[in-house]
């Protein structure tokens, strides 16, 4: 069995995995990080989106062994202690979730969008989130949350300058 | 998913060696076709040889009239490449329309071309631009590379290393997406180049998503566009529905009508 070693939310972790262990299973079962959800397990729904080396990806369609030496961020690693990440805070503010099942993947996708495109248009937000399915909200409040987060994050940058 | 050994070779020649030592092994790149296939137990390789991180298979360069894209380059990298956007904007746009952003962060051009899904995007660009597929053993013209549904001229154990795209004067792409899968219900790639480095003719029209045997060219449209490179040049040409796919996503007649409509749009986008 291959032994893998990677950074997850800033900490080095290692473990033995089978060839066919999915990254979702490694995170959820080996590391107990159950914030990464599995909705479809067929790369359609985006509930499992995490960041690998700075890019949002569907962890149900990546082998754990393929993440050897990678730097991974999951929903658990986004906040600074009790301080929510601006995208998380905006989802709460805008009521961007109902049952919450899609939310970790939505937030991880949106956070990647804002790191690459700090001022996206509504069309760019909808296009970026097209691989994240939500059965509850109808998407409007999710888009609104991303817009609020974009405003706050660019506001923060200005304040910091 | 059945279990398998996972192997990460350090070079293309290592990967080729690993494949020749184990004929039940399979290459994996982005895994966005292969992993879903393995989950359905439609294949049972004894080992996966992961070429997705080989530096010699990654990256994009322009090289004397060609854009050269390494096989393990992701769709997102092609879509975001300044070189591709400057030389062949239609190709960057095509890459940007594959699946969703998370799929584009993993899926690779080599995996897409090797898989030759009849509804995939890249085969239309390769055939429409007269690209060549370079492997660890040789080189194929797009015209002879795509041989049928999910089949290519690759021999067992052969590894695609790069795709060379001639830079055209004009090119355009139009895709009518199948809304659930995001693959092409029908897509059309058109390209024109005076002086013609394309192997046959100066204008090429390639159709994906529609053919029962995968991607194909439309000679009648190519001839018409040679004289009149404008949407009206193709608007009266209808491809016979006899060899088109006919399934729950679209009847053959509907696909035939879409080919004309997508060809008009692709030419319009290219002239713009
Ligand atoms: C949700 C979803 C939506 C998608 N939407 C689209 C779409 O709209 N349009 C589209 O075109 N595609 C779409 N795809 C497919 C996607 O583009 C795949 O990533 C691509 O077809 C395969 O590339 P890969 O790198 O993931 O290959 P893998 O899955 O790793 O490999 C696929 C096959 O190619 C072989 N292979 C890989 N690399 C090489 C190489 N260098 N040389 C020889 N053989 C090789 C493998 O052995 C395997 O048999 C979608 C996929 C998903 C999951
Ligand atoms: S669980 Fe990964 S995309 Fe649905
Ligand atoms: S909030 Fe229920 S699926 Fe999105």
């Amino acid at each position: 069995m291959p032994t893998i070693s990677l950074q997850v939310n800033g900490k080095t972790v290692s473990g033995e995995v089978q060839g066919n262990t999915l990254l979702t299973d490694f995170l959820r079962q080996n590391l107990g990080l159950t914030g990464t959800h599995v909705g479809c397990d067929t790369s359609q729904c985006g509930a499992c989106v995490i960041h690998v080396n700075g890019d949002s990806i569907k962890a149900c369609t990546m082998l754990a062994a393929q993440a050897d030496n990678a730097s991974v961020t999951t929903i658990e690693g986004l906040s600074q202690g009790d301080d929510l990440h601006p995208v998380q805070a905006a989802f709460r503010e805008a009521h961007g979730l109902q049952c919450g099942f899609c939310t970790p993947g939505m937030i991880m996708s949106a956070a990647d969008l804002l790191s690459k495109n700090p001022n996206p248009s509504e069309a760019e937000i909808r296009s970026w989130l097209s691989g994240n399915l939500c059965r509850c909200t109808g998407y409007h409040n999710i888009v609104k949350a991303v817009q609020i987060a974009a405003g706050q994050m660019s506001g923060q940058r200005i304040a910091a300058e | 998913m059945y279990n398998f050994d996972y192997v990460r070779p350090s070079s293309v020649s290592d990967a080729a060696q690993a494949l020749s030592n184990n004929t039940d092994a399979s290459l994996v790149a982005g895994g966005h076709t292969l992993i879903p296939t393995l989950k359905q137990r439609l294949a049972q390789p004894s080992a996966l040889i992961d070429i997705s991180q080989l530096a010699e298979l990654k990256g994009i360069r322009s090289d004397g009239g060609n854009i050269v894209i390494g096989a393990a380059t992701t769709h997102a990298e092609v879509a975001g490449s300044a070189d591709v956007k400057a030389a062949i904007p239609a190709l960057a746009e095509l890459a940007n329309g594959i699946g969703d952003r998370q799929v584009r962060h993993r899926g690779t051009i080599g995996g897409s071309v090797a898989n030759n899904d009849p509804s995939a995007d890249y085969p239309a660009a390769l055939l429409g631009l007269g690209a060549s597929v370079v492997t660890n053993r040789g080189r194929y013209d797009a015209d002879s590379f795509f041989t049928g549904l999910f089949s290519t001229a690759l021999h067992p154990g052969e590894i695609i290393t790069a795709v060379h795209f001639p830079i055209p004067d004009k090119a355009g792409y139009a895709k009518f997406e199948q809304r659930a899968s995001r693959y092409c219900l029908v897509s059309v790639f058109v390209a024109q180049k005076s002086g013609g480095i394309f192997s046959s003719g100066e204008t090429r029209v390639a159709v994906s998503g529609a053919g029962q045997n995968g991607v194909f060219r439309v000679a009648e449209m190519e001839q018409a566009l040679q004289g009149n490179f404008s949407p009206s040049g193709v608007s009266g040409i209808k491809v016979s529905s006899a060899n088109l796919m006919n399934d729950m996503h679209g009847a053959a007649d509907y696909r035939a009508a879409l080919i004309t409509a997508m060809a008009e749009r692709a030419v319009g986008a290219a002239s713009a």
Side-chain angles (χ1 to χ4, degrees):
Chain A
M1 283 206 291
T3 302
I4 61 169
S5 169
L6 59 158
Q7 294 271 112
V8 177
N9 299 330
K11 288 192 210 112
T12 303
V13 298
S14 53
E16 280 200 339
V17 294
Q18 293 204 145
N20 66 352
T21 303
L22 295 170
L23 188 49
T24 37
D25 291 333
F26 180 74
L27 294 170
R28 291 174 57 84
Q29 284 161 28
N30 295 45
L31 304 182
L33 295 172
T34 55
T36 299
H37 289 172
V38 178
C40 64
D41 204 26
T42 60
S43 48
Q44 309 292 324
C45 76
C48 64
V49 170
I50 62 167
H51 298 176
V52 173
N53 298 330
D55 285 329
S56 50
I57 61 100
K58 293 176 172 175
C60 73
T61 310
M62 181 163 173
L63 303 172
Q66 290 183 296
D68 190 22
N69 294 323
S71 168
V72 167
T73 307
T74 68
I75 189 72
E76 289 91 345
L78 216 53
S79 65
Q80 307 281 333
D82 287 342
D83 289 336
L84 294 180
H85 182 278
V87 177
Q88 291 174 305
F91 267 66
R92 186 164 70 182
E93 188 184 330
H95 201 67
L97 64 151
Q98 288 177 27
C99 80
F101 196 82
C102 69
T103 313
M106 284 285 178
I107 288 178
M108 296 310 286
S109 282
D112 186 27
L113 165 64
L114 296 183
S115 78
K116 290 174 173 138
N117 178 0
N119 286 304
S121 65
E122 181 180 340
E124 286 170 330
I125 295 170
R126 288 186 183 273
S127 157
W128 187 285
L129 295 179
S130 65
N132 290 87
L133 305 183
C134 176
R135 300 306 304 267
C136 302
T137 63
Y139 301 100
H140 289 297
N141 286 353
I142 290 174
V143 174
K144 207 192 291 171
V146 179
Q147 288 169 323
I148 291 171
Q152 281 171 355
M153 289 168 77
S154 55
Q156 277 176 355
R157 259 195 309 281
I158 292 161
E161 271 164 24
Chain B
M1 207 170 15
Y2 297 109
N3 198 19
F4 44 78
D5 292 333
Y6 174 83
V7 182
R8 201 187 274 186
S10 57
S11 65
V12 172
S13 56
D14 262 14
Q17 189 62 49
L19 280 174
S20 69
N21 292 346
N22 180 352
T23 50
D24 290 339
S26 173
L27 295 171
V28 64
H32 271 52
T33 291
L34 187 61
I35 293 173
T37 309
L38 296 178
K39 285 181 179 179
Q40 293 180 60
R41 299 191 166 182
L42 296 174
Q44 191 178 0
S46 58
L48 290 195
I49 318 243
D50 186 356
I51 54 173
S52 65
Q53 294 179 41
L54 291 179
E56 59 190 303
L57 295 183
K58 292 185 83 71
I60 298 166
R61 61 192 165 84
S62 54
D63 170 21
N66 285 285
I67 289 284
V68 180
I69 303 181
T73 308
T74 64
H75 309 327
E77 286 162 346
V78 174
S81 157
D83 283 339
V84 178
K85 284 193 224 174
I88 321 178
L91 182 61
E93 199 187 300
L94 173 148
N96 201 39
I98 297 176
D100 54 60
R101 183 69 188 214
Q102 288 68 41
V103 168
R104 297 195 289 276
H105 279 148
R106 295 290 303 158
T108 69
I109 187 169
S112 179
V113 168
N115 194 49
N116 192 18
D117 189 307
S119 301
D121 289 274
Y122 270 123
L126 269 74
L127 196 60
L129 286 163
S132 28
V133 177
V134 178
T135 74
N136 60 334
R137 299 190 200 160
R139 189 178 175 120
Y140 303 87
D141 285 342
D143 287 285
S144 58
F145 182 79
F146 298 110
T147 53
L149 277 195
F150 296 103
S151 62
T152 67
L154 290 174
H155 297 94
E158 190 165 5
I159 302 172
I160 300 174
T161 54
V163 182
H164 290 234
F165 291 97
I167 298 173
D169 297 340
K170 292 177 188 168
Y173 184 60
K175 170 178 182 177
F176 195 92
E177 182 177 272
Q178 203 287 318
R179 292 310 296 264
S181 75
R182 301 198 186 84
Y183 280 83
C184 310
L185 188 58
V186 166
S187 75
V188 175
F189 199 101
V190 299
Q192 188 170 54
K193 167 124 187 133
S194 53
I197 41 171
F198 293 162
S199 49
S200 52
E202 299 180 318
T203 304
R204 295 174 68 109
V205 177
V207 178
S208 190
Q212 278 177 4
N213 294 312
V215 64
F216 64 92
R217 288 171 62 188
V218 186
E220 206 187 329
M221 287 186 177
E222 294 180 351
Q223 278 146 23
L225 290 171
Q226 204 96 310
N228 172 18
F229 195 86
S230 72
S232 64
V234 288
S235 56
I237 300 174
K238 192 150 180 243
V239 169
S240 156
S241 57
N243 294 316
L244 301 185
M245 289 194 278
N246 187 26
D247 57 23
M248 66 177 185
H249 304 302
D253 279 348
Y254 178 54
R255 281 189 160 94
L258 277 178
I259 292 172
T260 306
M262 291 303 112
E264 287 177 88
R265 281 191 204 174
V267 174
S271 340

